[in-house]
Amino acid sequence: MILSILNYDSAVASAASRMVSAAKDRPCMDMGGRRTNEWAAVAAARAAVVGGFKGTANLLAAQLYGLKAIGTAAHCFTLVHDSEREAFESQIAALGKNTTLLVDTYNIEEAVKTAVEVAGPELGGIRIDSGDLAAMAQRVRNQLDALGATNTTITVTNDLDEYALASLQTAPVDSYGVGTMLVTGSGAPTCAMVYKLTEREGADGTMQPVAKKSKDKATVPGRKLAYRSYEYSLAEAEHVISGSEEKLAGFTPEPEWKNLLVDFVNHGEIDSQWQGHDASWLHMITVPRHWPSCRLPHKA
């Protein structure tokens, strides 16, 4: 269970961190729920926020972890209406003018014109999900400004990854919705973490070192110490110290080294200083096994 959490969540959080770095000061939003297992989607939303994302379209994850819920309409919402104008009117009637309208179901230029006609220059935002995103964002920005909607934001989606985000830096885009590449680790779907037993309690109550001798998979026995050193506030090297208990007890790390071994749980007690947003409330929740009967408590 621990490896399942660490491997997948760390892969998603790492991908999210790379994407946030590529996006610079533009917020990234998780929209990958439909591209993975239903419960993995919930875990991915949390991991994405750990990696720097600003919100998620997964409502269950938002409720469970106190995340910001975000999202726009889908193309099917527009298609189910008799016209694009009616779809925009319905969305604005339900969510207000500050909502974000999807404008690429038919013709983007006509959709932007209709969106501003329906919502006025106070329209919150529009989303583009197809085509040459950089070129289209520039055209739409020019059109919005000409229509007086100078504060209307532009969100782009469509199989974005960190490389696509970096290529959009000069485009007039305000935020990104990232899906498939986020929840699949963007080329690294797992961190390949493993668990290896290195010591066990003997019959006399003392800890005894153990090790594998498998070909190409041998392990180093015994307890370890782990530290990370930094140079100019950047991680420079990791230091793993092994040996006898006497050697470990007498080892003194350099003053600037950071100890990587932290007790999250000690004798069944969770150390609250390592818990994140609302975690003292969240760890009390038991998620039902059967999705249709899911009833989650509301935060007081």
Side-chain angles (χ1 to χ4, degrees):
M1 180 64 176
I2 293 175
L3 280 178
S4 174
I5 294 171
L6 290 178
N7 270 309
Y8 179 69
D9 289 26
S10 296
V12 173
S14 296
S17 180
R18 297 194 301 272
M19 292 170 182
V20 168
S21 295
K24 298 190 182 298
D25 59 344
R26 297 172 178 176
C28 294
M29 309 295 180
D30 160 44
M31 295 184 178
R34 62 182 176 172
R35 301 298 191 186
T36 188
N37 172 273
E38 61 269 29
W39 288 109
V42 176
R46 177 184 60 180
V49 172
V50 169
F53 273 47
K54 298 302 183 183
T56 178
N58 190 300
L59 296 182
L60 179 57
Q63 184 180 29
L64 276 176
Y65 301 119
L67 310 179
K68 180 180 180 181
I70 56 91
T72 68
H75 292 100
C76 61
F77 180 79
T78 299
L79 293 169
V80 79
H81 287 80
D82 291 335
S83 69
E84 193 167 52
R85 179 179 293 273
E86 289 186 13
F88 290 169
E89 289 173 344
S90 296
Q91 185 173 337
I92 290 170
L95 301 175
K97 294 183 178 181
N98 197 42
T99 189
T100 298
L101 300 177
L102 178 61
V103 296
D104 74 335
T105 304
Y106 304 118
N107 179 279
I108 293 179
E109 184 176 353
E110 288 298 319
V112 171
K113 178 182 177 182
T114 301
V116 176
E117 288 176 353
V118 172
E122 300 84 14
L123 174 63
I126 62 93
R127 176 165 74 98
I128 305 170
D129 186 52
S130 58
D132 184 333
L133 296 178
M136 192 56 65
Q138 187 62 66
R139 288 172 55 186
V140 168
R141 181 74 271 160
N142 293 341
Q143 184 181 5
L144 287 169
D145 291 347
L147 293 171
T150 56
N151 293 322
T152 299
T153 61
I154 297 176
T155 297
V156 297
T157 54
N158 190 22
D159 287 334
L160 299 176
D161 61 11
E162 55 266 50
Y163 302 103
L165 296 177
S167 71
L168 289 167
Q169 276 305 300
T170 60
V173 175
D174 297 286
S175 62
Y176 303 105
V178 188
T180 303
M181 297 307 292
L182 171 68
V183 300
T184 57
S186 192
T190 176
C191 285
M193 297 179 185
V194 296
Y195 168 77
K196 301 296 182 184
L197 184 70
T198 59
E199 65 176 3
R200 65 178 178 84
E201 185 176 359
D204 60 355
T206 62
M207 300 305 294
Q208 300 178 352
V210 296
K212 287 175 56 178
K213 294 185 178 180
S214 308
K215 180 176 174 57
D216 300 326
K217 286 191 173 183
T219 58
V220 178
R223 189 168 66 90
K224 316 289 190 303
L225 302 179
Y227 301 90
R228 179 177 292 134
S229 58
Y230 296 81
E231 184 173 2
Y232 303 110
S233 299
L234 297 176
E236 175 196 29
E238 293 180 355
H239 309 271
V240 179
I241 314 301
S242 62
S244 66
E245 285 298 321
E246 292 76 12
K247 178 182 177 181
L248 296 180
F251 179 79
T252 302
E254 296 296 325
E256 67 275 11
W257 287 9
K258 177 182 179 181
N259 187 3
L260 300 181
L261 300 180
V262 176
D263 288 333
F264 293 119
V265 180
N266 193 352
H267 293 90
E269 295 295 325
I270 298 175
D271 189 338
S272 61
Q273 70 172 313
W274 304 111
Q275 293 179 304
H277 178 67
D278 280 345
S280 60
W281 169 73
L282 292 170
H283 84 272
M284 301 296 293
I285 294 177
T286 299
V287 179
R289 293 178 60 188
H290 302 292
W291 185 284
S293 61
C294 181
R295 295 292 185 272
L296 297 173
H298 291 286
K299 180 182 176 184

